[in-house]
Amino acid sequence: MTAQWSSGRTTPLTIGIHWDLVQLDFTLATAAIAQLKARKRHIGPYLMGGVEHAMWWLLPLGSSHRLMGPPGVVRHPKGAELLAPPPGKYQGDRVWVLPGVPALTSAGELREAIDAALLQLAGRAAPCP
């Protein structure tokens, strides 16, 4: 993976070996990020794709089951691959967002943020705490 990235190429990330992966609709993901920030929760690395109108979140291995159910969230199975550009490069209409500390986002905290974001987007909750 790092060899391909160091040569500037997009590389496939295999799901279920080092991390789990969930895909969120872009609008929902943006609202969830606002919720995480408002709650002062850690935001780990995620990948944004403009044409696909989606964001992909790397989560601790074995934790993505906590995100099953909400609309706009797709859990990727073990062995699936996601093409990712090298960090710091916009390639294939995707770019990494690396908010700081490289630790992954907590699946539980992301689920709480998604649930709050869904209520906010449906107009049934205050914008952010």
Side-chain angles (χ1 to χ4, degrees), residues 24-69:
L24 276 67
D25 167 78
F26 198 89
T27 303
L28 174 59
T30 302
I33 290 167
Q35 290 289 334
L36 287 165
K37 286 180 179 178
R39 297 161 189 256
K40 298 185 182 354
R41 302 291 190 244
H42 170 73
I43 300 173
Y46 58 94
L47 194 60
M48 291 192 328
V51 169
E52 295 150 302
H53 198 71
M55 292 187 203
W56 296 267
W57 294 76
L58 301 176
L59 301 172
L61 189 61
S63 68
S64 66
H65 67 278
R66 300 201 57 187
L67 286 111
M68 290 176 59

Side-chain angles (χ1 to χ4, degrees), residues 69-112:
V73 178
V74 176
R75 197 174 150 224
H76 288 259
K78 182 177 182 177
E81 292 184 338
L82 175 71
L83 291 176
K89 296 210 178 205
Y90 179 81
Q91 239 173 346
D93 196 48
R94 292 182 179 169
V95 65
W96 281 105
V97 177
L98 307 167
V101 180
L104 302 179
T105 303
S106 157
E109 291 177 358
L110 182 57
R111 175 61 190 255
E112 289 173 6

